Amino acid sequence: METVEVLPTLLMMLRFPVGQAYLWHDSDSLTLIDAGFAGSGPAIADAIRGLGRRQEELRAIVLTHHHPDHAGGAAEVAAWNGAAVLAHRLEAPVVRGEQPAIPPVLTDEDRALYERIVGTGNQDPSPPSGVDREVEDGDVLDFGGGAEVLWGPGHTAGSIGIFLPHHGVLFTGDTVANQPALRLGVFNTDRAATIESFKRFAALETEIACFGHGDPVIGDSASQLRTVAADIKP
């Protein structure tokens, strides 16, 4: 796993073989945005120690959605010290293992990539994790000076983005990807809804956009997101 500083002293990107998670570090606490696949705990712990911080400082794990490359490590990491796991109300039953995941509606473009990923076993269900707080659109979370929850359905029913207005930082989950270039995310349950969620995210005044897949866009990310949003075909 590779660790990359995105915003000096504030944000680290944890890059896994498939996708990544993000670690926001305030002076008195740490917040993890997504948790990688099951088994990612040691890599996340290494990243925390690399900041000169302690695992016990992790207060919250915010899941953008339930897919195993985002939620698979949640139970393991939460078990360190009881960090709260947060997910959207519609996503929580899947994270807990109470409901099965709804499969994506694959486009022709998606199909070959999806089959390759599924063939590796990377889409096996995540180990169930408790969800300590079910969030809703408009909720404000206690990190980064106030982090706004943005319901962005389409990739999954309860996908969310997280926006830190004081820093101009947006976490899009898989609604947006930057792989191989900035684009609508793949493997969506509802493409039309995903497009609308992309447009909602693009309307924000962001400087840095962080994605579940692909490198962050640093510097006036809003204009780049809007350009792509305007060109997305239904």
Side-chain angles (χ1 to χ4, degrees):
M1 185 217 59
E2 181 184 4
T3 315
V4 179
E5 185 177 273
V6 178
L7 191 63
T9 74
L10 292 173
L11 187 67
M12 297 292 292
M13 182 170 67
L14 310 174
R15 185 178 287 153
F16 300 106
V18 177
Q20 56 241 6
Y22 295 88
L23 183 67
W24 185 273
H25 43 112
D26 288 312
S27 61
D28 60 347
S29 65
L30 303 172
T31 301
L32 188 66
I33 297 92
D34 289 329
F37 284 111
S40 296
I44 294 170
D46 285 347
I48 290 172
R49 287 191 293 268
L51 292 172
R53 306 290 291 265
R54 296 175 294 108
Q55 292 170 234
E56 292 75 18
E57 295 179 81
L58 184 67
R59 301 282 179 80
I61 304 161
V62 182
L63 302 178
T64 62
H65 60 292
H66 69 259
H67 285 160
D69 53 331
H70 295 258
E76 175 187 7
V77 174
W80 291 345
N81 67 331
V85 177
L86 287 69
H88 189 271
R89 170 180 54 83
L90 297 176
E91 216 72 355
V94 184
V95 174
R96 293 187 182 113
E98 299 166 353
Q99 293 180 7
I102 296 173
V105 178
L106 299 176
T107 66
D108 291 341
E109 183 182 6
D110 289 347
R111 193 162 285 107
L113 176 61
Y114 185 80
E115 289 173 356
R116 186 162 69 249
I117 291 175
V118 170
T120 68
N122 285 341
Q123 289 298 310
D124 290 343
S126 302
S129 171
V131 176
D132 301 285
R133 177 178 173 185
E134 298 183 9
V135 300
E136 297 279 1
D137 188 52
D139 284 355
V140 178
L141 309 181
D142 186 21
F143 72 94
E148 299 177 4
V149 175
L150 307 171
W151 182 40
H155 184 65
T156 63
S159 284
I160 57 172
I162 301 293
F163 180 48
L164 279 61
H166 295 291
H167 302 276
V169 174
L170 170 68
F171 302 94
T172 72
D174 283 358
T175 298
V176 186
N178 193 24
Q179 201 174 50
L182 199 58
R183 56 168 295 167
L184 186 74
V186 297
F187 309 160
N188 302 304
T189 59
D190 185 333
R191 178 179 171 85
T194 310
I195 292 170
E196 290 306 308
S197 296
F198 188 119
K199 291 178 178 178
R200 181 187 184 192
F201 293 173
L204 299 167
E205 295 301 326
T206 59
E207 283 294 319
I208 297 174
C210 301
F211 318 108
H213 302 275
D215 292 339
V217 172
I218 300 174
D220 194 21
S221 56
S223 65
Q224 297 183 57
L225 289 169
R226 289 167 191 161
T227 296
V228 175
D231 290 337
I232 295 175
K233 302 296 188 293

